[in-house]
Amino acid sequence: MRAEDIEHLVALSAPAVPADASVAIVAAAHPSLDANKSLSRLWRVDLADGSRTPLTRGLGDSAPALSRDESSVLFLREADGKQQVFALPLAGGEAAQVTHVKHGVQSFRLSADGTRLALQVRISEQGRGDSVKGLGPEAQSPRHITTMRYLGNGLGYVDDAHTHVFVQQLDLDAVLSAAPAAESAPRPDGSTPDEVSLDTAVQLTRGSVDYALCDWSAAGILAITDRHESRDDDLRASLVVIDADAPGAEPRDLVGVDANLSIGGAIETDGSVWLLASTVGESGRDFVAQSTSVYVVEDGTARLLTDPDTHDFGDPGSRLVAIDGGVLALRRTRGRVQLVRVTRDSVETLTDSDQEITSAAVAGDTIVASAQTPTSYGELGLVADGAWSPLTDFGAALQATGLVSPTEHDIANRDGGSVHGWVWVPEGPGPHPVLLNIHGGPFAQYGVHVFDEAQIAVEAGYAVVQCNPRGSSGYGREHGAAIKEAMGTVDLTDVLDFLEGALQAHPELDGQRMGVMGGSYGGYLTAWTIAHDHRFTAALVERGYLDPAAFIGTSDIGSFFSEEYTGYDAEHTLTQSPMAVVDQVRTPTLVVHSELDFRCPLEQAQRYYAALRRNGVDAELLVFPGENHELTRGGQPRHRVERFEHVMDWWDRRLPVAGER
């Protein structure tokens, strides 16, 4: 795989499946170098044979959902620079715009009777953002900030824009029968009607708080909010019910903040509300390695159904799916993401093979799931008899690039346990230079899905070693919490022990020529490693968490992340800070960062780079304009390719495949 092959990384949305389980509607997205953004369209997949046909020609169609009579599909599409809900008859025809919300629609849910849409909308306060036509952010009034959390990675300032819930009546027959674009036809004087005149959505929630839309329930609309007074200093949230017939009425708490939960999502099925949540303790901030669990609401109380010590349903973006007697949820474990059925009395694993399930849908006895695999970024398949079986071949072009399969290992560590991970080896006898890759998080995991970082390095002739050390998710809460107030301890020894074991298991690897790299927390542990271990020829520190003290007040999560991980005692925090030991670094280091990274702010990289140079270390700084913390996953495709070019050029100069130059 080469850098430009990221265009073949096709990711799938959650499928929409009719009652007869004959087909599935799914959105497929991929990076486009020509468009320099992600392009997405809808596909109809025949569940009998996996054949597929395109439903839309749109460049940004996503989030498909079937109408209640299953004659049409509703989805999100960009219109005049804003994302709106559209509808398309499955029998054929043109898509029609359903919503004309001034600020655009982030997500939507269809009511049980199909006559209303609940919408999540992010609204800028008057005088900010898109509320002032023709006045850019640089010309707007100064910001008067009175909160600790006023930044959002990928969003910028969030203190003057809030997400709220709207409702809109839905008459699909009227929408689909209307002449296309008739509503926005020019007036005789050449002007066009104001967008607001078409906006029939009614705002239900208000105020300087956020409401995250979940789903409809019998009592109203379920949403998550942090409207409590101490919200600026904790991570707790409430699950509320919004009366869809009473705009402006105060939402009713279903699960209040006294439950000390950070809530991620909720649905109603069989008359009960089920939710994904993690406990954050009496302080409301104790989030480190707190597994996401499944709860059911009974008599106003959220009852825990899954064991947080062994089961973690915190896969990013996961959503509960209703099934008879309970819900489907996504459990991450040992580099896999399994589909699990949770009832009040049991937890049943439905898939136990080499893939990472990303979403699912249920139609009768049929379960359809999207998944990432070792050879594809997204395929649709059926779940039966404890396994997921792929139906589609969205990854065919990617497979044609010549993917390399890694070897999976459990390697003993010095403390009597083991470290789980993978080793990629290029073709040929070797000895191959080695790249030790460290993941971010830290409560995250390397998985079995195709990983462009490793594949591109192997294509260039490098062996890649990566593992899930203590601090990672997927191995139980104790494993994840092992580095709380002890960063750079057992996580460091785990990655080094795994590296040593990989060198022993693979004699074709060159233990004398090695590099180390990582992003975010991986950037932290890379910087920490090269201050304490000088065996590496070169290093790459990307979007790193490098100075815990400076993180507070600059990062969008700085109000809680740094102290919860490294402790509240300043002297103890220094014992875990890469900046505190930067004078011990001798390894040539490339520091990579994004200009608009508000998770690990640019100054973390700038100060670390400056310290390296002042200490005489061979160091370089690479800064990407217009990008944030998600550059390697969701950045502009051209920047992603340029990043790979710079990364591989760095290794070619410092750690050439052919040996010393």
Side-chain angles (χ1 to χ4, degrees), residues 171-249:
D171 185 343
L172 272 180
D173 290 338
V175 169
L176 294 172
S177 62
E183 296 167 306
S184 58
R187 295 189 179 105
D189 64 0
S191 65
T192 57
D194 191 281
E195 186 180 22
V196 175
S197 67
L198 304 176
D199 187 356
T200 58
V202 177
Q203 186 172 351
L204 297 177
T205 62
R206 298 183 181 276
S208 298
V209 296
D210 295 288
Y211 290 85
L213 173 64
C214 293
D215 214 335
W216 288 84
S217 73
I221 300 170
L222 299 174
I224 302 164
T225 182
D226 56 354
R227 58 182 178 171
H228 56 287
E229 290 185 3
S230 62
R231 62 182 176 273
D232 197 37
D233 194 42
D234 65 44
L235 302 172
R236 298 180 297 163
S238 301
L239 179 66
V240 299
V241 178
I242 301 167
D243 188 340
D245 298 311

Side-chain angles (χ1 to χ4, degrees), residues 1 236 255 599 605:
M1 180 180 177
R236 298 180 297 163
V255 178
R599 182 61 41 82

Side-chain angles (χ1 to χ4, degrees), residues 460-480:
Y462 295 91
V464 177
V465 175
Q466 61 187 47
C467 65
N468 292 328
R470 276 172 283 184
S472 305
S473 64
Y475 303 83
R477 188 158 63 178
E478 182 181 355
H479 183 275

Side-chain angles (χ1 to χ4, degrees), residues 82 84 100-104 126 130-131 133 195-196 199:
K82 301 291 184 181
Q84 303 287 353
H100 297 80
V101 178
K102 178 181 179 180
H103 298 279
Q126 188 58 38
D130 57 7
S131 70
K133 291 186 177 180
E195 186 180 22
V196 175
D199 187 356

Side-chain angles (χ1 to χ4, degrees), residues 150-385:
Y150 54 87
L151 289 173
N153 184 64
L155 296 172
Y157 287 95
V158 295
D159 60 313
D160 56 13
H162 297 282
T163 56
H164 284 287
V165 176
F166 286 60
V167 67
Q168 176 170 312
Q169 296 295 320
L170 178 64
D171 185 343
L172 272 180
D173 290 338
V175 169
L176 294 172
S177 62
E183 296 167 306
S184 58
R187 295 189 179 105
D189 64 0
S191 65
T192 57
D194 191 281
E195 186 180 22
V196 175
S197 67
L198 304 176
D199 187 356
T200 58
V202 177
Q203 186 172 351
L204 297 177
T205 62
R206 298 183 181 276
S208 298
V209 296
D210 295 288
Y211 290 85
L213 173 64
C214 293
D215 214 335
W216 288 84
S217 73
I221 300 170
L222 299 174
I224 302 164
T225 182
D226 56 354
R227 58 182 178 171
H228 56 287
E229 290 185 3
S230 62
R231 62 182 176 273
D232 197 37
D233 194 42
D234 65 44
L235 302 172
R236 298 180 297 163
S238 301
L239 179 66
V240 299
V241 178
I242 301 167
D243 188 340
D245 298 311
E250 189 70 12
R252 174 175 61 87
D253 275 4
L254 191 62
V255 178
V257 294
D258 56 347
N260 296 322
L261 294 176
S262 174
I263 303 174
I267 62 170
E268 183 176 84
T269 178
D270 295 335
S272 297
V273 173
W274 303 66
L275 60 144
L276 287 170
S278 59
T279 181
V280 287
E282 292 296 327
S283 69
R285 297 160 57 96
D286 184 11
F287 78 98
V288 174
Q290 297 290 2
S291 301
T292 298
S293 302
V294 179
Y295 293 75
V296 65
V297 180
E298 295 177 337
D299 301 323
T301 300
R303 181 165 73 90
L304 178 64
L305 297 176
T306 57
D307 183 356
D309 291 328
T310 58
H311 283 62
D312 176 24
F313 297 95
D315 194 58
S318 64
R319 180 182 168 192
L320 294 173
V321 176
I323 195 170
D324 285 346
V327 294
L328 298 180
L330 305 180
R331 178 198 180 201
R332 51 185 179 182
T333 177
R334 289 184 56 82
R336 281 82 173 163
V337 179
Q338 301 171 331
L339 189 65
V340 174
R341 176 176 178 167
V342 181
T343 70
R344 285 177 170 80
D345 306 313
S346 65
V347 178
E348 178 188 5
T349 300
L350 301 181
T351 62
D352 190 16
S353 46
D354 288 343
Q355 70 275 324
E356 299 177 51
I357 305 293
T358 56
S359 59
V362 177
D365 295 330
T366 301
I367 300 176
V368 183
S370 300
Q372 296 180 328
T373 75
T375 59
S376 177
Y377 213 61
E379 300 294 350
L380 206 62
L382 297 175
V383 176
D385 301 323

